[in-house]
Amino acid sequence: MIRLFRHYIAGSSIFLGTIEALVLLCLAQVLLTTQIDPGFLAATGDQLISYFGIFLALLCVVILSSLGLYNRDVMANRRLMLIRLSFGFVIIALVIYALTQLYLSALSLDEYPPSYMLVLAIAGAITLLLFTRLLFLTIADVAVFRRRVLVIGAGQRAKRLLDVIPTNRNNGFEIVGFVAIDDEDPLLQSTARIPRGDISAEQLWDEIDRFDADEIVVAPDNRRGLPVRALLNCKLKGLRVTEFLTFVEREVGKISLSELDPSWLIFSDGFRVSLSQDVTKRVVDVVVSTLFLLFTLPIMAMTAIMIRFDSPGPIFYRQDRVGRDAKVYTLLKFRSMKVDAEASSGPRWAAADDDRITAVGNFIRKTRLDEIPQVINVLRGEMSFIGPRPERPFFVESLCEAVPYYSERHRVKPGITGWAQVCYPYGASIEDAKEKLAYDLYYIKNRSLFLDIIILLQTVRVVLWPGAAGVR
């Protein structure tokens, strides 16, 4: 995993995205320079052509990224990848054709290339892009980018590591062995045992060398008496030494609540708050929300008409939610339930096949159309476009008692979409709340404009494939 702007991204994803961007850039350059009159190029230079080619290449990579095509789980599943690629290629073909035609028209050429030449060029570009991706995955098979990890510890915490991060070929690592501590109750088969205390650096290094490990993950049940000098020696020799919580954060994109302690939160990097970051986020929220509201006005009008004809009651649904600093505000949504749906039962989690949901309500929930009016909350400053999903005061009170650190998610403004929403499938229970909190804490710890952009892109994938989860 490579850390960019405080967020971890798989090295295989970055490498593949870079290769495909370069391929698309070269194709765009060849396409435009061969289709435009040489005399025009000589008179104006080819800088505009280069900039437009870069723009097209980056735009195509953004489209593929928004469909989850750089996620490791998608790259490892050829059938799923080809289905999404087909969808992505259709979008790319339409976008490239429309933008290139507009660009050529804006150049005011004496002679324009025939449209069929552009169609053939786009078809060739898509074919080469598909070939490049399949060749990359065949040669690399994703496993080339996997690190060999040796775990210090074979007890409860080491076992929990396997529960949190199932060992499969989609991961960016491979656990090659567990080194048990002498007085530790081993729950996993260990490759070696070391005494609690300071063992020789050579003894630990020999074990690492035997398994050709690239990284050590320190995960004993009791950290007292660890071989500090031996671990320091490994660190100084260039081997990565990682603590359990940091490893989980990096590989899964969440913070393991079962092992979390205040000292790690205090001394770990992150949870930064700055005026410039808040101002930038607010400006982005206002701009994105305004544009989003303008583009979705026809959809909102159609949704309102559908709700009006489907069932009696108001079009909008107002509900109290807990925002930043635990302040309560009124959330706006399109009504998806019957009027007075909780009059007899009281507040309860929404569930699949919920009898309170109307026919139109079921549709707008699945397509996330019911969330659109929350843009007004963003413009008011009560919410952000990206952040932890807000919860009702009734549930927040019980969740704060049942889930440690749950109140910490109120350190930032709630959002229409968030890291938990793109990483974890829809759920409505205390256990689901715990899992979502693990992702929300990761977002709060590492939040940045870069991570917000990634979440925004991945939200497209979630809307198109609601059952899909995971962006790693």
Side-chain angles (χ1 to χ4, degrees), residues 25 28-34 36 40-41 44-56 103-104 107 109:
L25 177 59
Q29 290 292 103
V30 172
L31 169 64
L32 293 170
T33 52
T34 54
I36 296 177
F40 180 86
L41 290 175
T44 60
D46 59 355
Q47 283 190 347
L48 285 176
I49 304 298
S50 298
Y51 293 148
F52 185 67
I54 293 171
F55 171 74
L56 282 182
Y103 180 71
L104 293 176
L107 291 178
L109 302 175

Side-chain angles (χ1 to χ4, degrees), residues 3 9 23 31 33 64 78 82 93 146 165 182 197 215 251 264 271 294 296 309 330 347 371 378 393 425 438 446:
R3 197 177 194 194
I9 301 179
V23 168
L31 169 64
T33 52
L64 294 178
R78 297 295 174 88
L82 289 174
R146 296 170 77 187
I165 315 175
D182 257 352
E215 181 176 7
E251 296 299 329
W264 186 85
F271 299 104
L294 290 173
T296 57
F309 282 99
T330 302
E371 310 281 359
V378 176
N446 301 290

Side-chain angles (χ1 to χ4, degrees), residues 309-331:
F309 282 99
D310 178 58
S311 63
I315 293 171
F316 293 103
Y317 179 62
R318 293 171 173 81
Q319 190 178 70
D320 286 345
R321 295 292 176 101
V322 179
R324 187 175 187 174
D325 298 326
K327 294 179 181 177
V328 177
Y329 70 98
T330 302
L331 180 90

Side-chain angles (χ1 to χ4, degrees), residues 57-351:
L58 293 178
L59 181 61
C60 290
V61 171
V62 167
I63 291 171
L64 294 178
S65 178
S66 68
L67 299 177
L69 283 162
Y70 295 109
N71 299 354
R72 287 182 308 198
D73 57 336
V74 175
M75 288 194 288
N77 187 330
R78 297 295 174 88
R79 181 176 174 275
L80 178 62
M81 183 190 71
L82 289 174
I83 291 172
R84 294 197 186 181
L85 268 178
S86 301
F87 187 76
F89 285 158
V90 171
I91 297 174
I92 286 175
L94 294 173
V95 169
I96 290 180
Y97 183 84
L99 291 179
T100 304
Q101 290 284 39
L102 286 172
Y103 180 71
L104 293 176
S105 299
L107 291 178
S108 301
L109 302 175
D110 294 330
E111 184 178 347
Y112 292 93
S115 295
Y116 75 87
M117 291 294 295
L118 180 58
V119 172
L120 290 175
I122 292 172
I126 287 175
T127 302
L128 185 56
L129 196 63
L130 177 61
F131 175 77
T132 301
R133 175 171 284 248
L134 292 177
L135 179 64
F136 171 83
L137 295 178
T138 300
I139 295 173
D141 197 23
V142 183
V144 169
F145 298 93
R146 296 170 77 187
R147 299 174 315 285
R148 296 174 62 83
V149 173
L150 185 67
V151 180
I152 303 295
Q156 188 63 46
R157 176 174 275 203
K159 183 177 182 300
R160 196 170 290 124
L161 186 67
L162 298 182
D163 297 333
V164 174
I165 315 175
T167 52
N168 55 54
R169 67 188 299 270
N170 299 340
N171 290 328
F173 67 93
E174 176 187 2
I175 295 179
V176 296
F178 295 87
V179 177
I181 308 293
D182 257 352
D183 61 350
E184 189 176 52
D185 184 20
L187 299 178
L188 300 168
Q189 184 177 358
S190 57
T191 57
R193 295 185 70 86
I194 58 175
R196 188 172 293 280
D198 209 9
I199 64 171
S200 67
E202 290 75 16
Q203 184 180 348
L204 183 58
W205 186 259
D206 288 344
E207 193 66 26
I208 293 166
D209 192 53
R210 182 161 70 94
F211 289 96
D212 192 26
D214 304 309
E215 181 176 7
I216 296 175
V217 174
V218 182
D221 290 341
N222 186 353
R223 295 180 61 175
R224 287 178 296 180
L226 282 175
V228 177
R229 296 186 64 182
L231 290 171
L232 178 60
N233 176 66
C234 294
K235 179 86 172 180
L236 295 177
K237 283 188 175 183
L239 197 70
R240 179 180 282 184
V241 180
T242 310
E243 193 268 340
F244 172 87
L245 280 168
T246 303
F247 184 76
V248 172
E249 177 193 6
R250 187 185 75 206
E251 296 299 329
V252 190
K254 69 178 184 179
I255 295 174
S256 178
L257 297 179
S258 58
E259 302 293 331
L260 189 58
D261 60 80
S263 63
W264 186 85
L265 289 173
I266 292 169
F267 294 111
S268 63
D269 180 44
F271 299 104
R272 298 175 187 172
V273 178
S274 67
L275 179 61
S276 60
Q277 186 182 49
D278 287 344
V279 170
T280 302
K281 189 171 177 66
R282 181 59 186 154
V283 170
V284 171
D285 281 340
V286 171
V287 172
V288 172
S289 299
T290 302
L291 293 175
F292 185 81
L293 198 59
L294 290 173
F295 280 111
T296 57
L297 275 177
I299 299 174
M300 292 180 69
M302 287 298 299
T303 305
I305 293 171
M306 290 166 60
I307 293 171
R308 174 63 68 191
F309 282 99
D310 178 58
S311 63
I315 293 171
F316 293 103
Y317 179 62
R318 293 171 173 81
Q319 190 178 70
D320 286 345
R321 295 292 176 101
V322 179
R324 187 175 187 174
D325 298 326
K327 294 179 181 177
V328 177
Y329 70 98
T330 302
L331 180 90
L332 290 175
K333 295 179 74 173
F334 279 124
R335 183 174 59 84
S336 60
M337 291 188 177
K338 301 170 185 175
V339 177
D340 298 328
E342 295 180 337
S344 58
S345 62
R348 59 185 173 99
W349 299 100

